[in-house]
Amino acid sequence: MSETKKILTIQDISCYGQCSITVALPIISAFGIETAVIPSAVLSTHTSGFTDYTVRDLTDDLPGILEHWEKEGIYFDAIYTGFIGSIEQFGYIKDIINSRLKPDGIVFVDPAMADNGEFYNGFDQDFADTMGELCKIGDYVLPNTTEACYLLHKPWKEEFSKEEMLEMVDELSNFTKRHVILKGDTHKQDKLGMIVLDKDETPSIEFVYNDKIDHVSHGTGDVFASAFVGSIMVGKSPTSAAKIAGEFTKRALEETIDDPEHTYGVKFEKVIPEIYGLLDSI
């Protein structure tokens, strides 16, 4: 029997709102990957569209978790970081990666800190610069255009030309050891796309598109990143993984679009049974 791969994801728990760990854990697990978690914070809801939410920072818990895992000899085939609660956590997260990742392990960094031209509540340029240092030890970095602009100290705008997107990817290549997946390409009508930079052996750049769904919901980036991570972990190429994750996210949006009350997340749960069909067809 082949050994089940193990992945650790480090991001927040939003108790309500279909994002972060409550998205990553079921989606990655559905790919047959054993998924462990370290919560960076616990929030009563996510921060988009809700007010007066509670937040408990868990920075002080990280070194104790690492110490226990070192005693138990727990290692991971991959580590995937998402929403990080504070600048102080970055040092602890690097310690966890250096200590608990297998020698041939993979690091995924989703620099979840901004969207639509603005930082999430509580983040700033100092946070982005520190995030950039974490990205540099990542094998896969998955920013949207807003996050890319903050990483690169560039002004953000609603639409970028194909040439501008390629320029950003080129500059972002300095922020990763292997691959960049830049989300938010809108220059093709009625499509939403991403650019995939593969730096292994023969470097390549590919555009990947999905039909654009006219519905705005929180958490699509987390859904995409989780499906991408799962696809890579079962052996898909970066481009194939981007196609699978994009299609999975599109279908989740399609399941959500007829429910105008459901803007706090997407109904990804309804699409989980389709994962193996996507793996077989893409």
Side-chain angles (χ1 to χ4, degrees):
M1 181 180 294
S2 61
E3 182 181 0
T4 300
K5 291 184 178 179
K6 297 178 182 179
I7 185 168
L8 166 67
T9 184
I10 306 173
Q11 48 189 312
D12 74 288
I13 294 177
S14 289
C15 298
Y16 184 82
Q18 292 177 304
C19 68
S20 302
I21 281 178
T22 60
V23 165
L25 182 56
I27 292 177
I28 298 173
S29 297
F31 281 84
I33 309 299
E34 182 179 335
T35 309
V37 303
I38 291 181
S40 59
V42 177
L43 293 80
S44 54
T45 68
H46 60 64
T47 61
S48 177
F50 295 101
T51 58
D52 300 325
Y53 46 82
T54 66
V55 181
R56 180 174 294 276
D57 181 274
L58 297 179
T59 302
D60 292 342
D61 292 89
L62 301 187
I65 293 171
L66 173 57
E67 181 180 359
H68 184 213
W69 284 359
E70 287 176 336
K71 290 178 181 177
E72 296 292 338
I74 296 169
Y75 291 92
F76 298 96
D77 299 285
I79 295 177
Y80 157 38
T81 68
F83 184 99
I84 294 170
S86 65
I87 284 182
E88 291 72 25
Q89 290 185 357
F90 283 97
Y92 292 132
I93 289 170
K94 288 180 181 178
D95 290 342
I96 291 167
I97 291 172
N98 290 333
S99 171
R100 299 297 92 197
L101 186 67
K102 292 180 180 179
D104 58 348
I106 302 170
V107 177
F108 300 88
V109 179
D110 180 5
M113 59 184 176
D115 203 359
N116 296 316
E118 296 182 348
F119 279 112
Y120 297 150
N121 187 36
F123 295 158
D124 56 19
Q125 188 59 53
D126 286 343
F127 185 92
D129 292 342
T130 310
M131 179 68 79
E133 293 305 308
L134 179 63
C135 289
K136 289 176 182 177
I137 64 174
D139 296 286
Y140 295 85
V141 176
L142 298 94
N144 59 38
T145 56
T146 301
E147 292 155 350
C149 286
Y150 283 127
L151 288 171
L152 299 172
H153 290 249
K154 286 179 173 288
W156 179 83
K157 55 186 181 179
E158 289 190 5
E159 293 189 8
F160 292 91
S161 69
K162 181 178 180 179
E163 290 72 24
E164 289 171 326
M165 293 285 288
L166 287 169
E167 181 181 336
M168 275 199 285
V169 169
D170 182 61
E171 294 183 47
L172 286 167
S173 69
N174 297 316
F175 283 80
T176 176
K177 295 190 294 185
R178 295 173 62 195
H179 309 288
V180 174
I181 294 82
L182 177 59
K183 300 169 289 181
D185 177 17
T186 58
H187 82 268
K188 199 169 184 179
Q189 190 174 12
D190 299 324
K191 299 287 184 181
L192 187 61
M194 69 208 81
I195 303 177
V196 179
L197 169 64
D198 185 342
K199 292 172 68 176
D200 285 350
E201 296 182 7
T202 304
S204 65
I205 292 178
E206 294 194 50
F207 288 81
V208 175
Y209 293 99
N210 293 97
D211 292 336
K212 187 176 181 180
I213 305 300
D214 189 20
H215 183 80
V216 177
S217 286
H218 183 84
T220 53
D222 295 337
V223 170
F224 175 89
S226 300
F228 180 88
V229 168
S231 299
I232 292 292
M233 294 302 293
V234 297
K236 291 294 184 178
S237 71
T239 300
S240 293
K243 290 177 180 178
I244 291 166
E247 179 64 21
F248 183 84
T249 306
K250 178 184 79 76
R251 293 185 187 184
L253 275 165
E254 288 172 337
E255 291 288 347
T256 313
I257 193 170
D258 291 333
D259 187 349
E261 303 277 323
H262 201 104
T263 59
Y264 56 85
V266 291
K267 299 180 181 181
F268 69 89
E269 299 92 344
K270 294 180 178 295
V271 193
I272 282 179
E274 300 176 30
I275 283 175
Y276 283 94
L278 289 172
L279 288 173
D280 287 341
S281 63
I282 297 177

